[in-house]
């Protein structure tokens, strides 16, 4: 951090004058205040998800990965969203059937910005919506025959597809369909084609999270086990790595891959942004799995470690401080050549990073941020904000587990940070109203709520249609975007001048 | 190094830099195991043929890129049109996250909606406890004036009984005894979002008119001179509702809008988040039973609601998303007849201005061929307007249109020489449309945002009209109904035609001759 200091660091204080004890007291009172609106039973349950972080604690002191409470307006999604929307959807040369009624596939159609390159509809299918569009008769009589027919029709009309996944929507598990049997039979019929049944019905689990796990397991059972013994298309080398848990949102995986390649590594697979089935199949040949989104892909990383002896390492490519740390950490798994490569990459980009910080830090230093996102971002982006002299004063996970909160407490958040797990619409609104951050980073459902309140906002799931944010190239974009959000002239306009001018009011009243 | 702090490159330009082009090419060449480019090209060409179209139309089970959503989306749309109302969707919570996101991406506005968050245990034991706790929580946290309940497919498959559940929740004290909780079963595996709108609207009106689910006596209807107006599921609801109200006010019609979303999806940025804004008051919703007549602007959005209203003694009139001169004439004259008012000259003047605009511009539309897709009523309204402009619809496709719709469309085509070559495609999707664009070769495509994939693949320019529109901003603020609304549609069509003319004539030293400054 000190390496990227600017002159302004010595002139302006990074945090507001409020002392930490006062902040903690305010945050605790705030939690009590929001809890007071709930019926008693709900207040008791929600209390466990809200906390003020105490420095030195091993986690954030909140319960997580627990069922959302009915009727409170949780921001969470479902297992289908975690499997089809996150893990499987980006595998570009496969066709992913949203199996069940039309809605799930429709709402998640091309909305996650998993960038890819390919001929859509011919050899690539990422921004398409394939659905079995269940009708009442399918619910009553079962959808297995329909699924079998769908697979045949896909083979006829989309002959260049490299595989099919069946993404179960709620009814599938409720009506007792046997999608495994259909998948197996059809795979055999179509020459051993990869057909993957995924039991990611939306009612399973408590959030997207179980969908990630189920999707990981499906890769294990229906891709790895099937492709065992199959030689990859390339000769394995000593520096082969796989990027795990990067969905290439706005091109994130590409701006990450470029750094790994520049330091001398060879990236043999991307999971799953701009990914292909061949890359999935080849990954057990990698020497190291580098894991960005721990939450959604730790399962498959652990499996590959156990079964194939491939170590995995978590990294963070948001902001130069964390990138630097991560490049060195990744390099430490390899020889001096790669370690020297990492140092060369760090040195190469240092002037660019300094230029970005010189330009944006003076405009952003001291600004307070509140986050509420999913996956890795409630902690991973904190370093990037801090590189710009900003301070994250509140954060929470949509579907995190305790291991996420441990990582957050041990490596990321400051004393007194407001922590909110599975926050409700009401709580988030009240927290922002009182804490008055300069920026909120969350999702599309939250964006307009806070902008109406006059609070600058960036979507931190989709990068608000910008990106990439990963890597050195991405950090420049991140800095630019945070600046344009906070320092947009529009935020001077929400209050009508005549409503603020006491003289005008007095004159008008006469 | 491609990045530059002074000229930051994002995805639009970053990945076109040589470093990234090489990276992407190497990834493809070494690790993706792709089909040979010649093979890909062969299939690209095959997919354009009549042969492929035939295969494509033989599909019986697979649906690809449908232009429809599911019932609860429509139920949420209807619910937020009532004052202080929060939609409560009983079932899995992920669905609600999807509806909220979907509407927010279209309207660029918050959409408040809650879920009863049913999970595996509820799948086994039913979602009664979720309903009891959920209603209590929503009621205490968000202090709505009404909670409008609908269902996801999960709750429907396991057969949860909304009426009984809400009754039990009331008895358990989740909500006060008199508190309004209308409800509608909205299974996602029946119909589409327009069906959900219909069921939810019917649910709300029946609730207020027929004794609030058995909690009070039925309201005794005392007919008055008022007209009820139901807009249907409509991506232009903000602009349209305001325009319709203006027209009614101009005509001095006494009216009640049933389901008015124009304020809740157009709240100001002035420092305050309004979870609720505007909407039909609950009092007005109840008193609407006394109206003499009810108008539905979209027949296929109110297939159950309108007969229910007729059974309460109203005269009912349904339109098919009227756009254009003649369609608006019929609408205005019906309103005047039902309300017993005369049509003010102001509207005649607006009409004249629209005719004037059409007279000025129709030469650029006359004889051009259009493919249209969307919700059934929207398709009808747009096809009628295109024909009025001298354009020729050749393909009109509606994924959620049925046989009745197709018949109605055919009657429309038969009514004009400009409809002679046109065919309606009920129940088909945008992958069918892709084949049709290759084989029928229309000049322009009219549809929602997803049409941009068709435009890219087939080269047929897209005119964005429909729902959702995610990739252009603020279109929902402009009406498409009324004479002024038709003017907006006309300009939208013309702008795309002119843009296309310029884009196809801007070749230096090749097409200099048609790159006109005056058109």
């Amino acid at each position: 951090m000190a390496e990227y200091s600017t002159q302004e660091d010595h002139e302006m204080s990074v945090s507001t004058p409020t002392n930490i004890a006062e902040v903690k007291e305010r945050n605790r009172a705030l939690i009590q205040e929001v809890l007071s609106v709930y019926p008693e039973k709900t207040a008791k349950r929600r209390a466990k998800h809200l906390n003020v972080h105490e420095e030195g604690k091993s986690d954030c002191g909140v319960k997580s990965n627990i069922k959302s409470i009915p009727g409170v307006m949780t921001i969470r999604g479902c297992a289908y969203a975690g499997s089809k929307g996150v893990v499987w959807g980006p595998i570009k040369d496969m066709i992913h059937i949203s199996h069940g009624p039309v809605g799930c596939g429709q709402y998640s159609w091309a909305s996650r910005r998993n960038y890819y390159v390919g001929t859509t509809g011919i050899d690539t299918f990422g921004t398409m919506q394939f659905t079995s569009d269940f009708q009442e008769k399918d619910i009553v009589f079962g959808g297995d025959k329909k699924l079998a027919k769908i697979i045949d029709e896909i083979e006829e009309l989309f002959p260049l597809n490299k595989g099919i996944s069946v993404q179960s929507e709620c009814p599938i598990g409720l009506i007792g369909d046997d999608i495994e049997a259909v998948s197996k039979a059809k795979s055999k019929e179509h020459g051993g084609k990869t057909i993957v049944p995924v039991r990611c019905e939306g009612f399973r689990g408590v959030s997207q999270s179980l969908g990630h796990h189920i999707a990981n397991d499906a890769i294990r059972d229906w891709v790895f086990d099937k492709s065992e013994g199959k030689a990859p298309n390339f000769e394995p080398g000593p520096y082969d790595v796989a990027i795990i848990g990067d969905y290439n949102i706005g091109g994130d995986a590409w701006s990450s891959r470029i750094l790994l390649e520049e330091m001398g590594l060879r990236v043999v697979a991307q999971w799953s942004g701009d990914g292909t089935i061949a890359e999935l199949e080849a990954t057990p040949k990698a020497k190291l799995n580098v894991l960005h989104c721990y939450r959604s892909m730790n399962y498959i990383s652990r499996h590959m470690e156990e079964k194939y002896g491939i170590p995995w390492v978590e990294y963070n490519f948001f902001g130069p401080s964390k990138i630097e740390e991560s490049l060195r950490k990744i390099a430490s798994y390899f020889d001096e050549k790669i370690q020297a490569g990492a140092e060369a990459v760090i040195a190469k980009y240092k002037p660019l990073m300094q230029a970005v910080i010189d330009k944006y830090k003076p405009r952003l230093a001291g600004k307070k941020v509140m986050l509420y996102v999913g996956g890795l971002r409630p902690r991973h982006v904190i370093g990037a904000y801090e590189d710009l002299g900003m301070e994250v004063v509140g954060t929470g996970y949509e579907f995190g587990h305790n291991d996420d909160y441990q990582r957050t407490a041990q490596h990321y958040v400051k004393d007194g940070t407001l922590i909110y797990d599975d926050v409700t619409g009401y709580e988030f609104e009240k927290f922002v109203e009182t804490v008055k951050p300069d920026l909120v980073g969350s999702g599309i459902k939250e964006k307009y709520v806070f902008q109406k309140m006059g609070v600058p906002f960036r979507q931190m799931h989709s990068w608000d249609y910008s990106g990439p944010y990963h890597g050195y190239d991405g950090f420049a974009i991140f800095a630019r975007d945070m600046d344009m959000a906070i320092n947009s002239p529009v935020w001077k306009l929400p209050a009508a001048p005549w409503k603020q001018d006491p003289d005008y009011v007095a004159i008008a009243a006469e | 190094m491609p990045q530059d702090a002074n000229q930051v490159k994002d995805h639009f330009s970053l990945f076109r830099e040589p470093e990234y082009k090489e990276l992407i090419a190497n990834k493809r060449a070494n690790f993706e195991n792709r089909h040979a480019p010649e093979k890909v090209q062969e299939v690209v060409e095959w997919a354009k043929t009549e042969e492929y179209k035939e295969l494509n139309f033989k599909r019986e089970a697979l649906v690809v890129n449908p232009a429809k959503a599911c019932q609860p989306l429509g139920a949420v749309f209807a619910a937020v049109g009532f004052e202080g109302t929060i939609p409560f969707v009983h079932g899995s919570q992920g669905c609600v996250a999807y509806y909220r996101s979907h509407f927010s991406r279209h309207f660029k506005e918050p959409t408040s909606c809650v879920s009863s968050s049913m999970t595996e245990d509820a799948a086994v034991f039913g979602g009664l406890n979720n309903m009891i706790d959920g209603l209590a929580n929503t009621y205490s946290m968000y202090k709505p004036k009404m909670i409008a309940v609908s269902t996801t497919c999960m709750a429907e498959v396991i057969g949860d009984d909304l009426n009984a559940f809400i009754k039990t929740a009331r008895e358990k004290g989740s909500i006060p005894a008199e508190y309004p909780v209308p409800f509608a079963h909205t299974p996602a595996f029946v119909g589409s979002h327009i069906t959900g709108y219909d069921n939810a609207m019917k649910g709300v009106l029946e609730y207020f008119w027929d004794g609030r689910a058995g909690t009070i006596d039925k309201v005794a209807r005392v007919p008055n001179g008022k007209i009820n107006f139901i807009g249907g599921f409509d991506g232009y609801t903000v602009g349209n509702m305001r325009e319709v109200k203006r027209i009614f006010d101009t005509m001095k019609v006494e009216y009640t809008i049933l389901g008015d979303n124009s304020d809740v999806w157009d709240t100001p940025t002035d420092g305050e988040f309004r979870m609720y804004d505007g909407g039909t008051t609950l009092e007005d919703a109840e008193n609407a039973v006394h109206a003499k007549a009810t108008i539905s602007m979209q027949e296929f959005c109110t297939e159950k609601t309108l007969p229910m209203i007729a059974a309460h003694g109203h005269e009912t009139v349904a339109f098919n998303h009227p756009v254009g001169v003649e369609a608006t004439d019929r609408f205005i004259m019906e309103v005047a007849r039902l309300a017993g008012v005369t049509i003010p000259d102001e509207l005649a003047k607006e009409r004249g201005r629209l005719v004037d605009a059409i007279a000025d511009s129709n030469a650029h539309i006359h004889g051009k061929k259009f493919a249209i897709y969307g919700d059934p009523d929207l398709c009808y309204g747009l096809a009628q307007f295109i024909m009025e402009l001298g354009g020729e619809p050749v393909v009109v496709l509606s994924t959620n249109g049925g046989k009745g719709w197709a018949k109605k469309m055919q009657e429309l085509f038969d009514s004009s020489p400009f409809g002679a070559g046109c065919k309606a495609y009920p129940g088909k999707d945008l992958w069918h449309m892709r084949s049709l664009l290759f084989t029928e070769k229309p000049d322009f495509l009219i549809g929602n945002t997803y049409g941009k994939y068709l435009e890219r693949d087939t080269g047929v320019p897209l005119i964005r009209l429909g729902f959702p529109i995610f990739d252009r901003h603020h279109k929902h603020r402009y009406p498409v109904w009324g004479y002024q609304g038709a003017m907006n549609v006309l300009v939208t069509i013309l702008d795309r035609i002119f843009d296309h003319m310029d884009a196809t004539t801007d070749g230096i030293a090749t097409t200099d001759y048609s790159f006109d400054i005056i058109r």
Side-chain angles (χ1 to χ4, degrees), chain A residues 42 67 70-72 106 124 129 131 133 149 153 157 160 162 206 274 279 359 426 452 467 473 480, chain B residues 3 5 10-11 20 27 33-35 52 60 62-63 65-66 68 93 109 115 121 137-138 142 267 271:
Chain A
T42 306
K67 273 197 286 189
V72 296
Q106 202 70 7
T124 310
Q129 132 75 328
T131 173
D133 187 15
K149 195 170 222 174
E153 289 176 353
L157 287 165
L160 300 188
K162 289 285 185 71
V206 303
D274 191 39
E279 291 168 70
K359 181 171 175 185
Y426 175 84
K452 303 283 177 193
D473 290 341
R480 179 201 69 179
Chain B
Q3 194 54 287
D10 58 21
H11 58 90
Y20 279 101
K27 177 178 183 290
N33 192 25
R34 306 291 269 170
H35 295 282
Y52 188 89
E60 289 174 350
L62 174 67
V63 173
N65 299 350
K68 68 170 180 182
Q93 70 193 16
E109 289 285 323
S115 163
D121 53 344
N137 287 327
T138 304
Y142 297 112
T267 59

Side-chain angles (χ1 to χ4, degrees), chain B residues 170-183:
Chain B
R170 239 184 249 287
E171 285 160 12
K172 299 251 180 197
S174 297
I175 38 169
E178 306 285 297
Y179 184 79
V181 184
F183 57 89

Side-chain angles (χ1 to χ4, degrees), chain B residues 23-24 80 94 99 133 163 178 254 261 280 285 309 333 341 345 360 368 410 412 419 463 474:
Chain B
L23 176 149
I24 289 167
V80 300
Y99 316 141
D133 291 348
N163 192 14
E178 306 285 297
E254 282 195 75
N261 317 55
T280 310
I309 292 174
M333 291 191 310
V341 297
D345 283 347
D360 295 346
K368 297 249 181 345
Q410 194 55 51
L412 176 68
I463 298 165
H474 307 304

Side-chain angles (χ1 to χ4, degrees), chain A residues 37-39 41-42 67-74 76-78 80-81 92-93 101-103 106-111 113 115 118-124 127-131 133-136 139 146 149-150 153-154 156-158 160 162 170-171 174-175 203-206 233-234 250-251 254-255 257-258 266-268 270 274 276 278-279 348-349 352 355-356 359 424-426 429 444-445 448-449 451-453 465-468 473 476-477 480 494, chain B residues 1-6 8-11 14-15 19-20 23-24 27-28 30-35 39-40 43-44 46-47 52 55-56 58-70 73 86 88 92-94 97-102 104-105 108-110 112-121 123 130 133-134 136-138 140-143 153-154 157-158 188-191 267-273 275 430-431 434 450 453 456-457:
Chain A
V37 76
Y38 291 112
K41 184 169 123 189
T42 306
K67 273 197 286 189
S68 301
I69 300 169
V72 296
M73 198 145 36
T74 173
R76 282 174 169 177
C78 64
Y80 163 89
K92 63 181 176 179
D93 57 354
V102 70
Q106 202 70 7
Y107 309 126
S108 58
W109 180 4
S111 57
R113 303 187 68 236
Y115 279 4
T119 308
T120 302
I122 306 297
D123 71 343
T124 310
T127 48
M128 296 176 70
Q129 132 75 328
F130 292 84
T131 173
D133 187 15
F134 261 36
Q135 301 299 305
E136 197 147 26
I139 300 288
K146 187 172 202 177
K149 195 170 222 174
I150 284 172
E153 289 176 353
I154 284 175
E156 194 169 47
L157 287 165
F158 304 95
L160 300 188
K162 289 285 185 71
C170 287
L174 299 172
I175 61 176
F203 62 82
R204 293 194 197 277
V206 303
N233 308 315
F234 55 87
W254 295 328
S255 58
R257 184 184 186 106
I258 200 165
R266 186 167 75 154
V267 179
V268 300
Q270 282 177 205
D274 191 39
T276 55
E279 291 168 70
K348 177 186 165 186
Y349 285 94
L352 171 69
V356 169
K359 181 171 175 185
T424 68
Y426 175 84
E429 189 196 327
I444 183 68
K445 304 189 292 296
Y448 303 105
V449 170
Q451 289 189 176
K452 303 283 177 193
M453 289 162 65
Y465 322 120
S466 175
D473 290 341
I477 305 163
R480 179 201 69 179
Chain B
M1 196 184 317
Q3 194 54 287
D4 178 354
N6 291 314
V8 174
K9 296 185 186 74
D10 58 21
H11 58 90
L14 185 65
F15 301 130
E19 290 91 336
Y20 279 101
L23 176 149
I24 289 167
K27 177 178 183 290
R28 183 188 166 98
N30 299 322
F31 304 108
E32 294 187 353
N33 192 25
R34 306 291 269 170
H35 295 282
K39 182 75 201 167
V40 174
V43 178
V44 166
W46 174 59
Y52 188 89
L55 270 182
N56 193 5
K58 270 192 200 149
R59 266 191 284 145
E60 289 174 350
L62 174 67
V63 173
V64 185
N65 299 350
K68 68 170 180 182
C70 67
L73 185 81
I86 195 155
F88 180 111
S92 298
Q93 70 193 16
Y98 279 142
Y99 316 141
R100 296 181 64 206
S101 301
H102 208 64
S104 286
R105 287 176 178 136
K108 317 293 179 200
E109 289 285 323
S112 299
C113 176
V114 296
S115 163
S116 65
S117 295
M118 284 165 66
T119 54
E120 277 139 318
D121 53 344
N130 299 66
D133 291 348
N137 287 327
T138 304
S140 17
M141 292 172 74
Y142 297 112
K143 308 196 167 37
C153 55
M154 179 204 183
V157 170
I158 65 172
F189 44 82
V190 176
T267 59
T269 285
D270 60 357
E272 181 196 346
F273 162 54
M275 187 168 197
L430 299 187
W431 198 254
R434 190 178 189 269
Y450 300 114
Y453 295 128
R456 177 188 62 187
D457 292 358

